[in-house]
């Protein structure tokens, strides 16, 4: 699909990669950009339409889909990460919270907006995943599990939405210079670069976008005798 004249709905659009998506969509000529956040007052980017949305709240999801029935591109960007070892007393509760946003939130938004996408010609869905969809690092097993599940969900959605002409693209990226990675001393991608690559992938009809070297390296390793997840 083309971004020019598209109507774009972005979750978690008040900062970080979500805000970068909004800026990139406007620059690409989108006719309208809905910028969703739990607190719409935190959306301060000129030219977008702020929307109140907690992706874990079914009533708010339904209200957003009803209000924004002209959407042609849904970007499931909202995500949370909380460190926990698998044997910690609160590990399962921590995992559940992350699954509610990173997995069930993606599912709920896509399900809610699928009829509008179909009515508007098919359009596209972009799911923001992670290199940790394929790789688990100590302390982030719950987050990795939620992103792995979201990857499987994306692949399932791609097959099921194909019949209505909706493209589903998965975005995998490692470290980005956002609040989520604050304090980590490691090379990080600029959110603006990741957003641009992702939107270029959508326009090219790509089923998957690997936005940085680490994502490309890990993905390539999956078909070898020593995949990255083997440690």
């Amino acid at each position: 699909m083309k971004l020019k004249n598209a109507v774009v709905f972005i979750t978690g659009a008040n900062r970080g990669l979500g805000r970068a998506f909004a800026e990139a969509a406007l620059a690409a000529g989108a006719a309208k950009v809905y910028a969703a956040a739990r607190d719409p007052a935190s959306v301060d980017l000129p030219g977008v339409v702020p929307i109140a949305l907690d992706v874990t709240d079914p009533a708010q999801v339904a209200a957003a889909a009803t209000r924004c029935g002209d959407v042609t591109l849904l970007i499931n960007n909202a995500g949370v990460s909380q460190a926990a070892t698998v044997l910690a007393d609160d590990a399962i509760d921590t995992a559940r919270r992350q699954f509610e946003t990173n997995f069930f939130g993606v599912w709920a938004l896509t399900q809610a907006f699928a009829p509008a996408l179909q009515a508007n010609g098919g359009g596209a869905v972009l799911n923001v995943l992670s290199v940790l969809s394929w790789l688990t690092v100590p302390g982030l097993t719950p987050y990795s599990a939620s992103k792995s599940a979201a990857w499987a969900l994306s692949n399932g959605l791609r097959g099921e939405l194909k019949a209505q002409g909706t493209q589903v693209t998965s975005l995998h990226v490692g470290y980005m210079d956002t609040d989520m990675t604050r304090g980590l001393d490691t090379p990080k991608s600029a959110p603006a670069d990741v957003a641009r690559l992702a939107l270029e992938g959508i326009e090219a009809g790509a089923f998957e976008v690997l936005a940085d070297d680490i994502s490309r390296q890990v993905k390539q390793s999956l078909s070898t005798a020593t995949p990255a997840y083997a440690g």
Side-chain angles (χ1 to χ4, degrees), residues 42-183:
S42 65
V43 177
D44 59 1
L45 179 65
V48 303
V49 181
I51 299 290
L53 177 64
D54 178 344
V55 302
T56 69
D57 184 326
Q60 289 193 17
V61 171
T66 299
R67 176 179 173 182
C68 308
D70 52 350
V71 166
T72 60
L73 170 60
L74 169 65
I75 300 180
N76 285 311
N77 166 74
V80 296
S81 175
Q82 185 177 355
T85 62
V86 294
L87 299 182
D89 291 341
D90 63 347
I92 291 178
D93 287 339
T94 298
R96 285 196 176 105
R97 287 193 295 271
Q98 293 181 76
F99 267 79
E100 284 296 329
T101 297
N102 300 346
F103 175 70
F104 289 111
V106 171
W107 197 334
L109 264 292
T110 306
Q111 185 182 60
F113 276 93
L117 293 172
Q118 182 178 27
N120 297 325
V125 177
L126 173 69
N127 292 332
V128 177
L129 304 180
S130 171
V131 68
L132 296 183
S133 304
W134 308 310
L135 176 68
T136 304
V137 298
L140 289 177
T141 295
Y143 177 77
S144 295
S146 71
K147 289 298 187 176
S148 289
W151 181 46
L153 174 64
S154 296
N155 295 334
L157 290 171
R158 185 176 301 111
E160 293 200 26
L161 294 181
K162 183 178 181 180
Q164 69 171 47
T166 300
Q167 170 188 339
V168 177
T169 301
S170 297
L171 169 64
H172 295 271
V173 61
Y175 297 109
M176 281 186 295
D177 190 12
T178 65
D179 290 345
M180 191 177 289
T181 62
R182 183 180 296 166

